[in-house]
Amino acid sequence: MTETPALPALWPAPLADGTVHATVTVPGSKSVTNRALVLAALAAEPGWVRRPLRSRDSQLMADALRAMGVGIEETVSSSSAGDGAGGEAWRVIPAALHGPTTVDVGNAGTVMRFLPPVATLADGDIRFDGDPRSYERPLGQVISALRTLGARIDDDGRGALPMTVLGGGALEGGTVEIDASNSSQFVSALLLSAPRFNQGVEVRHVGGNLPSMPHIRMTVEMLRAAGAQVDTPEAGGEKDVWRVTPGALLGRDMVVEPDLSNAQPFLAAALITGGTVTVPDWPRRTTQPGDALRRIFTEMGGSCELTDAGLVFTGTGKIHGIDVDLSEVGELTPGIAAVAALADSESVLRGVAHLRLHETDRLAALTKEINGLGGDVTETADGLRIRPRRMHGGVFHTYDDHRMATAGAVIGLAVEGVQIENVATTAKTLPDFPKMWTDMLAGDADGSGVPGAGAGAGA
């Protein structure tokens, strides 16, 4: 294999010199991949995860599970289901979880939150550590909830990383109240391991608005597909309550969907340039938050159609401002803010106060970086107000946040001289983004020299 060339510290974001016409195959979903790995590791029999995302976050998850004793074999195979889902696949072989070991979470929210409940089932101590930013990210609610359910955790009173889960080989489980208003991952973390708890779990959210509900629905659907009994009694008048019954999980043959949120910059390119981008394998039904892009970017001036070829998105070159509640799809905010900065009218992005606690304070970062290029962004209590202005080139800092990097690239399509600091941070969820981006602009989405030929980085 050819080694990927080192990326410059300041990556010149390419300026679009015309309309974009390309087919871009987006790698698999990080959210689905990492949930699938956890469920497969806790199953009663081996399973497959096909078309997984290979990125820093998913590799951290796989390496952490291996450290606790799970077998994960990375292979290239055909699908036993006969659905054309061959290609890269990970064979997951459950085993008795054990320590002592140390888990590196990097700055991956799914790893730092989903795996402490798994570690309570291990025989031995599991230490969790990570990047400096991971020490600042909210984790206290997960720690206190696990203690309520019977876990022993040594965090020196920090309510954050680094910490050690003193695994006893099992967890009693039961009922727990949790304030998940800072992250829906707090709920998903408890639900994913709950079938293995002696009593299962009943999780009750007792805080303010619960963000990113599609991610919780994703967790529930994936649990059910793996054989778990999950009750969400909203129909009976209860809200924000989830009950998981103890029981064995099935080893599954799971095909990972494309990461729809990672399709965002490519769809934005069509919207901004008045071109067309096709994303193959876009699911007709999904729990991924990124599916909301079809509605949001259409309201901002584009049009889309789901075809046998995938999602075909077309822009007019005109971008309209939008007033939108993004509370359920907060991860889309950086890309929407970048497009809004190029619109013909004001935009208001609401419901995303929790983004101040993501990989970085995304609201502050977007405000500073867009304004640094001449934009006009102000923070509100729960979002951003964006007034379009003529912008100029300059350095767009990423704060080690992959979605900041892609947002800067989107602005660079229409603003000459934008330089992205540390574009390599996109490897967190979107490997080879710079090449995918330049290939898209060349109309050569697979590097074959044939305009619009097909797959980019591959899923």
Side-chain angles (χ1 to χ4, degrees), residues 125-162:
D125 298 349
I126 312 293
R127 178 174 171 78
F128 289 84
D129 208 339
D131 298 351
R133 171 63 179 170
S134 72
Y135 296 1
E136 304 169 13
R137 299 187 68 182
L139 191 61
Q141 289 291 321
V142 174
I143 294 172
S144 60
L146 288 173
R147 285 177 173 147
T148 298
L149 297 173
R152 295 182 301 143
I153 299 173
D154 180 5
D155 65 344
D156 288 334
R158 286 183 298 269
L161 294 179

Side-chain angles (χ1 to χ4, degrees), residues 233-385:
E234 287 189 27
E238 289 186 283
K239 185 181 178 184
D240 297 342
V241 178
W242 301 266
R243 299 187 183 110
V244 181
T245 302
L249 292 171
L250 307 175
R252 292 197 59 227
D253 195 326
M254 165 165 285
V255 181
V256 177
E257 296 174 350
D259 193 317
L260 306 187
S261 295
N262 276 343
Q264 182 178 37
F266 305 102
L267 302 182
L271 180 61
I272 290 166
T273 68
T276 298
V277 167
T278 299
V279 179
D281 300 320
W282 194 287
R284 292 185 178 274
R285 179 184 178 279
T286 181
T287 54
Q288 287 193 61
D291 195 46
L293 289 168
R294 293 191 290 154
R295 171 182 58 83
I296 294 169
F297 276 174
T298 295
E299 289 182 22
M300 297 186 80
S303 64
C304 66
E305 182 182 6
L306 269 176
T307 71
D308 290 342
L311 180 72
V312 180
F313 187 87
T314 302
T316 61
K318 294 182 179 179
I319 309 165
H320 308 311
I322 191 170
D323 188 326
V324 61
D325 183 344
L326 299 176
S327 58
E328 291 206 347
V329 294
E331 65 192 49
L332 304 180
T333 302
I336 293 170
V339 173
L342 304 170
D344 58 13
S345 59
E346 179 178 288
S347 293
V348 179
L349 312 185
R350 309 178 184 276
V352 287
H354 61 284
L355 295 190
R356 294 185 170 100
L357 301 169
H358 275 221
E359 279 84 343
T360 187
D361 179 342
R362 283 180 171 163
L363 300 185
L366 287 164
T367 300
K368 181 176 180 181
E369 297 310 312
I370 294 175
N371 289 350
L373 302 179
D376 183 1
V377 182
T378 55
E379 286 192 56
T380 64
D382 71 339
L384 299 172
R385 184 178 299 275

